[in-house]
Amino acid sequence: MVEGDNKMIIKAAARLCSFSWDIHFLLIDIWIASLQFESMSYQHVYREGNRAINFLAKHGLSITQTQHVYLGYFSEFDQPVWLDKIGNNLDRRMP
């Protein structure tokens, strides 16, 4: 399952709506990557409900050099990922 907070891209990736050509290559990358799996589903989640990935994305944008992250080693990564894993990440709200 692919979750994302951009409703338009999630719907376009699932081929539920038409899309503008400026995201065409992004969608092609998504569709090619999805061929590696037997099945693929797409689901919109609100940004507040996807705290773990939002935290990791913000961290990725803040670093200036290659950094390897190992879960269980940096406590700052453990809590959001662990909370997401057990489903306790600000109560995901579905559209």
Side-chain angles (χ1 to χ4, degrees):
M1 174 176 293
V2 175
E3 294 180 337
D5 61 12
N6 187 313
K7 193 179 238 182
M8 180 189 71
I9 291 177
I10 291 296
K11 282 186 170 185
R15 298 178 179 166
L16 298 175
C17 69
S18 59
F19 54 88
S20 62
W21 283 100
D22 57 334
I23 64 167
H24 179 75
F25 291 109
L26 170 67
L27 292 171
I28 289 175
D29 288 344
I30 291 170
W31 294 328
I32 289 171
S34 71
L35 294 174
Q36 298 177 35
F37 302 96
E38 288 182 26
S39 67
M40 181 69 63
S41 61
Y42 302 90
Q43 182 172 319
H44 173 259
V45 294
Y46 291 93
R47 182 171 295 168
E48 304 85 17
N50 205 358
R51 189 168 46 171
I53 196 64
N54 194 40
F55 173 83
L56 293 172
K58 281 184 179 180
H59 177 76
L61 291 172
S62 72
I63 59 175
T64 58
Q65 59 186 3
T66 302
Q67 179 181 15
H68 298 279
V69 174
Y70 302 98
L71 297 179
Y73 186 74
F74 295 104
S75 62
E76 66 180 308
F77 297 107
D78 289 342
Q79 185 180 15
V81 172
W82 181 77
L83 289 173
D84 185 68
K85 188 174 183 177
I86 65 169
N88 185 17
N89 64 351
L90 294 179
D91 295 334
R92 292 180 184 195
R93 296 178 287 155
M94 298 302 158

